[in-house]
Amino acid sequence: MSRVVLAISGGVDSSVAAWLLREAGHEVTGLFLQHGHASRATADAQRVAERLDMPLHTVDVREEFDRRVVGYFVDEYTAGRTPNPCVVCNKWIKFGKLFEYAEQIGAEFVATGHYARLVAADNGQIALCRGIDPSKDQSYMLFDIEREWLPRIKFPVGEYNKKKIRQLADRLGLSTAKWRESQDICFVSDGDHARFVRERRVKVDTSGEIVTTDGVVVGRHDGIERFTIGQRHGLRVALGEPRYVVQIDPNTRRVVIGAKEELARTELTAAGANWLIDVPCEPVRCRVKIRYRSRPADATVRVIDKDRFHVQFDEPCHGIAPGQAAVCYDGERVLGGGYII
């Protein structure tokens, strides 16, 4: 039996993860990370811990979360980029604190309720792979965790689909079983990202012109934080045919719109690279995801230096947004990724 520290939020996935770990014979301690942006979560986590007779420890991460995650989110949108706060939180907050606490109590493993899997590769290394449920797979969000952490991580729910997890929660009498799953970022509960950013940058003017790709001014906007590359809805201009955001210029504060074909890109460069395999010395044929919900596309990846890599797609991709993650896959396995520049 191993000692495991489990990140527990009070939601259905981490709740069932706790039970699965216990069923596998592990001694489980829950770790609740209090970041101050989910008022109900503390009580929910406590109820789950009591229901499963599991010790629960709370760590106040509010200051660090606001600095590393919320601050990053606001800065990126203000700079005309599209951030992915869950990726950043996983690396700097969730797994960092899990391992820190695991060391304090002498736990061999840490665990979360992510839909992902860890599989022994042919060379004896541990591979991060997609979860069994393709509609819930969260491996994309995990590309930036440290490679050396992999042998000490467990993803209990990654071997199940969401329906089965809810059935297990219901069988265990957990109140989370039938809760509606939130699709919002935890600290922007109403989904209004632009409002959230403006409230934290009240002295920064990000308003400007909306122009076509040939430079014709067709409107004005109240802030570049309202836009992302590939966006169609909410442009507030009528040109008689669909138009999409194809560029956001933070220097001029211009939002450039064009036809769908003007979104097409055959290459990208990513920085902040993190590899979960040995850094490739030669070009790698793989599939690359440019957003969490996008389909991976066939591509050739070439490492530029320890921080950057270049992706050449076989076919044009639409909606490549600076700030989002480009994550490389070999079949089910995550090879690594970086942030689109």
Side-chain angles (χ1 to χ4, degrees):
M1 180 174 69
S2 300
R3 301 189 74 184
V4 182
V5 177
L6 168 70
I8 188 158
S9 65
V12 64
D13 299 322
S14 61
S15 302
V16 174
W19 181 80
L20 290 169
L21 288 166
R22 290 274 295 274
E23 285 294 290
H26 298 297
E27 178 188 339
V28 184
T29 296
L31 185 68
F32 178 73
L33 301 176
Q34 184 179 20
H35 55 65
H37 293 278
S39 58
R40 191 178 65 181
T42 305
D44 293 338
Q46 187 62 53
R47 276 193 293 270
V48 169
E50 291 172 357
R51 175 68 182 81
L52 298 176
D53 192 25
M54 175 183 65
L56 179 67
H57 182 74
T58 299
V59 174
D60 187 340
V61 297
R62 285 175 290 185
E63 181 178 348
E64 190 171 358
F65 186 88
D66 282 347
R67 175 170 52 87
R68 284 191 178 272
V69 181
V70 177
Y72 148 82
F73 179 86
V74 172
D75 288 346
E76 287 286 276
Y77 264 122
T78 305
R81 294 161 59 85
T82 305
N84 200 315
C86 293
V87 174
V88 173
C89 181
N90 282 332
K91 178 169 185 173
W92 295 112
I93 306 296
K94 184 169 290 184
F95 284 94
K97 295 302 180 183
L98 280 170
F99 277 104
E100 184 178 302
Y101 187 62
E103 292 303 316
Q104 291 177 19
I105 68 171
E108 296 95 326
F109 297 97
V110 305
T112 71
H114 284 105
Y115 285 83
R117 292 177 299 134
L118 292 166
V119 179
D122 293 339
N123 58 5
Q125 297 178 349
I126 301 298
L128 173 64
C129 296
R130 302 177 191 273
I132 293 295
D133 187 340
S135 67
K136 294 298 179 183
D137 169 51
Q138 294 173 302
S139 60
Y140 174 91
M141 301 293 192
L142 297 166
F143 88 87
D144 209 14
I145 63 176
E146 301 293 336
R147 182 184 180 187
E148 57 265 30
W149 290 347
L150 297 183
R152 295 184 61 196
I153 297 175
K154 292 183 179 295
F155 296 126
V157 305
E159 300 288 344
Y160 299 84
N161 60 42
K162 185 74 174 193
K163 182 179 179 181
K164 180 63 176 179
I165 293 299
R166 288 197 180 278
Q167 289 173 344
L168 287 171
D170 188 53
R171 194 178 88 192
L172 294 168
L174 297 173
S175 60
T176 56
K178 295 181 174 62
W179 284 358
R180 182 179 177 182
E181 192 167 11
S182 173
Q183 300 298 318
D184 298 317
I185 293 170
C186 66
F187 55 87
V188 191
S189 58
D190 64 357
D192 191 344
H193 303 158
R195 174 200 56 76
F196 185 89
V197 172
R198 282 196 294 269
E199 286 178 352
R200 284 155 178 77
R201 291 292 185 271
V202 292
K203 296 182 180 180
V204 178
D205 181 13
T206 59
S207 64
E209 298 172 331
I210 300 176
V211 303
T212 62
T213 49
D214 53 5
V216 178
V217 177
V218 293
R220 290 194 59 83
H221 63 83
D222 58 4
I224 58 174
E225 63 275 1
R226 283 207 302 111
F227 303 94
T228 184
I229 302 299
Q231 179 178 332
R232 175 183 172 185
H233 300 291
L235 302 184
R236 301 173 187 173
V237 295
L239 297 178
E241 55 186 28
R243 287 290 183 268
Y244 302 80
V245 176
V246 299
Q247 183 184 357
I248 302 169
D249 188 333
N251 297 316
T252 64
R253 307 199 300 270
R254 278 187 159 190
V255 173
V256 182
I257 62 174
K260 185 174 183 179
E261 55 267 24
E262 293 178 282
L263 278 172
R265 300 287 186 274
T266 58
E267 59 184 340
L268 65 81
T269 299
N274 185 62
W275 294 101
L276 299 178
I277 60 170
D278 294 339
V279 179
C281 298
E282 301 293 333
V284 175
R285 288 291 298 168
C286 61
R287 308 197 80 199
V288 178
K289 287 186 69 167
I290 59 170
R291 288 180 187 257
Y292 173 49
R293 293 296 183 188
S294 72
R295 293 184 177 182
D298 293 327
T300 299
V301 173
R302 293 176 173 84
V303 171
I304 299 171
D305 54 40
K306 66 178 182 179
D307 185 65
R308 299 176 299 157
F309 61 87
H310 178 267
V311 179
Q312 182 71 47
F313 293 102
D314 292 4
E315 301 290 340
C317 286
H318 296 76
I320 296 176
Q324 283 287 292
V327 180
C328 308
Y329 288 82
D330 179 10
E332 299 291 300
R333 183 179 187 177
V334 178
L335 303 178
Y339 298 90
I340 300 169
I341 59 177

